Amino acid sequence: MSEPTATETTTAETEAPEAPEEPNDPSLGGAPAAPRALAALERESEIAADYLEELLDIADLDGDIDMDVERDRAAVSVVGGDLGHLVGEDGAVLEALQDLTRLAVLTQTGERSRLMLDIGGFRAGRRAVLTELGRSTAELVEQSGEAVALQPMTPFERKVVHDAVAAAGLRSESEGEEPHRRVVVLPA
């Protein structure tokens, strides 16, 4: 099938969705993404996996690529082999590779991607550490009654901490400018 030209439109462009695709819409009751949205996320994962596989081949690196949809986002993980240098110090190289992978998806789909990339389990391990940090900081703030500002973090890291603080029943907010943006945990 050929790609549509500038004067053609595809069915997807002309049809209105029958139900909201926003996963947090109350009418969905927190249900998983609609089938059309799920298909788009799966396509993002496939495009990202192809891009990363090509990158691994060019760099002559071994790694297996796992694709999934998590929390209404495409998720791609590269596992196996010696991949530490693809993570970099504090995940800096991983963040850059994620940005490049998102650009590859944008180029193919024309849509901005919220894809999450993990390499060698770095993000999974970091998520566990940050969840504990959020929980323990919430406990400290609850006991002291005073706000606590944490060290600067990436957007991924801040999101994990915000979620952990909310699960503990407190509020948090981000303050500052990138790359010095930080989470502040607030008393109830």
Side-chain angles (χ1 to χ4, degrees), residues 10-38:
T10 64
T11 305
E13 292 171 335
T14 58
E15 290 180 356
E18 292 179 18
E21 291 186 358
E22 206 43 53
N24 294 329
D25 187 307
S27 67
L28 294 177
R36 288 176 71 182
L38 183 60

Side-chain angles (χ1 to χ4, degrees), residues 124-144:
R126 195 75 184 121
R127 183 183 310 273
V129 168
L130 292 166
T131 298
E132 177 55 28
L133 175 64
R135 188 202 59 73
S136 63
T137 304
E139 189 176 296
L140 175 68
V141 168
E142 201 165 42
Q143 290 173 357
S144 71

Side-chain angles (χ1 to χ4, degrees), residues 11-91:
T11 305
E13 292 171 335
T14 58
E15 290 180 356
E18 292 179 18
E21 291 186 358
E22 206 43 53
N24 294 329
D25 187 307
S27 67
L28 294 177
R36 288 176 71 182
L38 183 60
L41 292 173
E42 288 171 345
R43 181 163 185 254
E44 282 185 27
S45 292
E46 290 170 8
I47 293 167
D50 290 344
Y51 175 79
L52 291 165
E53 187 173 326
E54 198 171 317
L55 180 87
L56 291 173
D57 286 346
I58 290 168
D60 196 27
L61 296 171
D62 292 325
D64 295 323
I65 299 174
D66 295 328
M67 300 177 294
D68 200 1
V69 174
E70 298 174 358
R71 298 184 180 102
D72 301 311
R73 287 183 175 212
V76 178
S77 298
V78 182
V79 295
D82 181 22
L83 302 171
H85 52 286
L86 291 179
V87 172
E89 186 176 334
D90 296 326

Side-chain angles (χ1 to χ4, degrees), residues 107-172:
T107 300
Q108 294 257 341
T109 65
E111 299 287 328
R112 183 178 164 268
S113 173
R114 296 177 52 234
L115 174 129
M116 290 296 294
L117 175 63
D118 193 4
I119 297 177
F122 177 81
R123 281 200 201 274
R126 195 75 184 121
R127 183 183 310 273
V129 168
L130 292 166
T131 298
E132 177 55 28
L133 175 64
R135 188 202 59 73
S136 63
T137 304
E139 189 176 296
L140 175 68
V141 168
E142 201 165 42
Q143 290 173 357
S144 71
E146 295 183 24
V148 173
L150 301 175
Q151 295 297 313
M153 298 178 185
T154 67
F156 161 77
E157 293 170 328
R158 290 193 308 269
K159 171 77 169 107
V160 172
V161 172
H162 285 305
D163 289 349
V165 169
L170 291 182
R171 295 180 315 113
S172 59

